[in-house]
Amino acid sequence: MTVRTRSASQGFGDVRGRLRSAGLRWTPQRRALIDVLKATNGHVTGAELVELCRGRDPETTPSTVYRTLEVLEEIGLIKHSHGRDGRQEFHIAPSSEHGHAICESCGEVRELSDADVDDLVASLGGAGFAVDLSHLAVGGLCHDCRAAEVAEA
Amino acid sequence: MTVRTRSASQGFGDVRGRLRSAGLRWTPQRRALIDVLKATNGHVTGAELVELCRGRDPETTPSTVYRTLEVLEEIGLIKHSHGRDGRQEFHIAPSSEHGHAICESCGEVRELSDADVDDLVASLGGAGFAVDLSHLAVGGLCHDCRAAEVAEA
DNA sequence: TTAAATGCAAAGGGTTTGCACCGGA
DNA sequence: TCCGGTGCAAACCCTTTGCATTTAA
């Protein structure tokens, strides 16, 4: 049940328009990256995106990908954070801010619901700390990996 | 839970003994790094540690620092995670596993109490996800930075 | 003595940048 | 036409590794 209704931010559908209205351009490379991002419906590292784009067009260069990611983040289409290994991780910007639970074994990412974090936010808020949900990362083991680990032992 | 009672910090005072009993050695370089780590009493990146060590001894080489950090982590003295910029961050291992709240403005780190995270852990636990408290990072704004930000606006 | 640790230098991985050329609008 | 984008190549930063040398125990 890893969040189905991921109808990301209202406008993942009209990227072209959003770019244009910002005086930016709609290019084949950008289209490719958008498609790839859509297909991932989750979290990917910059390097992975470069690879995925290369799958479509072997000519793809890292600089273009990273520069486009920058642009997409600027117009609020995607967000990025960092994985455990320190690499950048991008994901389609959600309609609402939310944290993530990342399995340290298989890397699976699940989004945290408001209910999951309500108390934490309240607790820290009481101490004067304003939580930024988009930068809340919880490490751990997902159900499957945990079972696998127990089995090994 | 796999939280072995590694009451780490208790022994930040007898690193030498801990190394020895593991068949490892006590060297000037290690001593320097330990001192530096003690002085930070917080979170530092690998690169920062290299710099700080160079402050004491300009001859310090990165490889030694990183290798020592590795060793220190192995004996449970320190832990590392990743900062927002993707760089490794080391900190003295706490006596008990706990998460961190990091101010995105000033970088200040505060530790989360059990009370802060109890509900989150329970909530995810119910979904089969075993939270690893040592990898729980919450971004946000600390009291002071938040006030400063409001003042600016 | 002898395995562990160091220093150096070089590689490595991910990401960024400068610059000339290309191409959407 | 014109400014934004692209591709290339090289640079960068942090981190890791191989290997000969040093050194703690």
Side-chain angles (χ1 to χ4, degrees):
Chain A
M1 45 149 153
T2 348
V3 183
R4 256 211 126 75
T5 36
R6 110 153 333 300
S7 57
S9 26
Q10 12 90 310
F12 205 68
D14 186 27
V15 185
R16 179 179 181 175
R18 292 226 252 163
L19 283 171
R20 284 245 196 98
S21 60
L24 305 172
R25 289 170 191 170
W26 183 240
T27 68
Q29 293 86 341
R30 288 184 175 178
R31 184 181 156 61
L33 180 53
I34 299 286
D35 282 353
V36 166
L37 275 169
K38 273 186 194 159
T40 66
N41 96 273
H43 303 58
V44 244
T45 64
E48 274 165 2
L49 286 171
V50 171
E51 267 323 296
L52 289 169
C53 284
R54 281 208 163 118
R56 296 176 130 256
D57 175 2
E59 308 287 274
T60 307
T61 56
S63 49
T64 299
V65 173
Y66 285 105
R67 278 192 284 231
T68 300
L69 287 171
E70 218 172 276
V71 169
L72 294 181
E73 186 156 15
E74 261 161 34
I75 64 173
L77 202 75
I78 62 174
K79 293 236 164 207
H80 88 276
S81 48
H82 290 278
R84 284 244 288 140
D85 57 356
R87 285 187 291 188
Q88 295 188 182
E89 269 191 9
F90 296 87
H91 64 273
I92 297 167
S95 36
S96 66
E97 302 286 309
H98 62 253
H100 297 110
I102 301 118
C103 176
E104 289 163 2
S105 178
C106 69
E108 183 195 276
V109 176
R110 57 169 289 165
E111 301 182 346
L112 300 180
S113 70
D114 286 347
D116 288 329
V117 300
D118 270 356
D119 290 297
L120 174 66
V121 172
S123 180
L124 287 176
F129 190 92
V131 173
D132 170 4
L133 282 180
S134 63
H135 286 109
L136 201 176
V138 184
L141 289 177
C142 70
H143 185 275
D144 293 350
C145 290
R146 191 191 191 179
E149 202 153 280
V150 173
E152 272 175 35
Chain B
M1 279 196 124
T2 22
V3 182
R4 203 157 305 164
T5 14
R6 66 132 56 83
S7 44
S9 47
Q10 40 113 281
F12 206 69
D14 186 27
V15 185
R16 179 179 180 174
R18 293 228 252 163
L19 284 171
R20 285 243 194 102
S21 60
L24 305 171
R25 291 171 190 171
W26 182 240
T27 67
Q29 294 86 342
R30 287 184 176 177
R31 184 180 157 62
L33 180 54
I34 300 285
D35 283 352
V36 166
L37 275 169
K38 273 187 195 157
T40 67
N41 94 273
H43 301 61
V44 241
T45 65
E48 275 165 0
L49 287 171
V50 171
E51 267 324 296
L52 289 170
C53 284
R54 281 209 163 117
R56 296 177 128 253
D57 174 4
E59 307 287 273
T60 307
T61 56
S63 50
T64 298
V65 173
Y66 284 105
R67 279 192 283 231
T68 299
L69 287 170
E70 218 172 275
V71 169
L72 294 181
E73 186 155 16
E74 261 161 35
I75 65 173
L77 202 76
I78 60 173
K79 293 238 163 208
H80 87 277
S81 49
H82 291 278
R84 286 245 286 143
D85 57 358
R87 285 187 289 188
Q88 294 188 186
E89 271 192 6
F90 296 87
H91 63 273
I92 297 168
S95 39
S96 65
E97 304 285 318
H98 62 253
H100 297 109
I102 301 119
C103 176
E104 289 162 2
S105 178
C106 69
E108 181 194 277
V109 176
R110 58 170 288 166
E111 302 184 348
L112 300 180
S113 70
D114 286 348
D116 289 330
V117 299
D118 270 356
D119 291 297
L120 174 65
V121 172
S123 180
L124 287 176
F129 190 91
V131 173
D132 170 4
L133 283 180
S134 64
H135 286 108
L136 201 176
V138 184
L141 289 178
C142 70
H143 185 274
D144 293 350
C145 291
R146 191 190 190 178
E149 203 152 278
V150 173
E152 272 174 36

